């Protein structure tokens, strides 16, 4: 996809791709400086992610849960936007309504 100057993604198609993959995380874009995915965590599920080597932004499309970053809890819900610096421990938990999250990873060097 990196050779194209533009791409259009529809949420329904992304959800279908994620469901078909059978995995909670579905990457739908990877270019030189950015990768994006749809992350779906059902109510009561466990987020098993570990710290990443890239800066990251989450946009909660729907759902309700708690986000822990370096031991501090924050309630997240539809409309929440979160930024996490590369290497920082974080995860979703106490998910009471299925979480659907757009994830944006910086693929650019972080300068660390």
């Amino acid at each position: 996809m990196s050779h194209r100057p533009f791409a259009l993604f529809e949420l329904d198609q992304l959800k279908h791709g994620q469901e078909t993959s059978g995995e909670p995380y579905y990457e739908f874009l990877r270019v030189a400086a950015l990768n994006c995915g749809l992350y779906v965590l059902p109510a009561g599920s466990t987020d098993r992610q570990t710290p990443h080597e890239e800066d990251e932004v989450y946009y909660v499309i729907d759902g309700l849960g708690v986000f822990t970053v370096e031991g501090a809890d924050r309630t997240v819900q539809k409309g929440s936007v979160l930024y996490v610096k590369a290497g920082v421990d974080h995860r979703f938990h106490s998910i009471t309504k299925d979480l659907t999250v757009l994830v944006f990873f910086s693929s650019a060097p972080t300068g660390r």
Side-chain angles (χ1 to χ4, degrees):
M1 178 143 333
S2 61
H3 63 283
R4 295 183 185 172
F6 170 81
L8 174 65
F9 303 97
E10 298 291 344
L11 185 55
D12 287 343
Q13 292 172 329
L14 298 178
K15 287 179 179 180
H16 178 73
Q18 183 275 326
E19 290 168 0
T20 302
S21 77
E23 298 293 328
Y25 184 75
Y26 172 69
E27 182 178 275
F28 61 88
L29 176 68
R30 180 177 289 268
V31 294
L34 177 72
N35 23 320
C36 301
L38 185 69
Y39 196 31
V40 178
L41 294 164
S45 68
T46 302
D47 179 8
R48 301 187 189 283
Q49 67 178 305
T50 57
H52 313 292
E53 295 182 9
E54 306 93 0
D55 287 348
E56 173 177 29
V57 172
Y58 294 101
Y59 170 68
V60 179
I61 295 170
D62 201 9
L64 182 63
V66 177
F67 188 76
T68 294
V69 60
E70 292 192 318
D73 287 344
R74 302 283 189 271
T75 298
V76 295
Q77 59 192 350
K78 180 179 181 176
S80 296
V81 179
L82 307 111
Y83 163 75
V84 181
K85 183 179 169 115
V88 172
D89 188 37
H90 63 283
R91 69 189 36 82
F92 295 95
H93 65 91
S94 304
I95 301 165
T96 56
K97 181 180 176 191
D98 296 355
L99 278 175
T100 302
V101 182
L102 278 177
V103 184
F104 305 87
F105 284 103
S106 166
S107 299
T110 59
R112 296 186 317 147

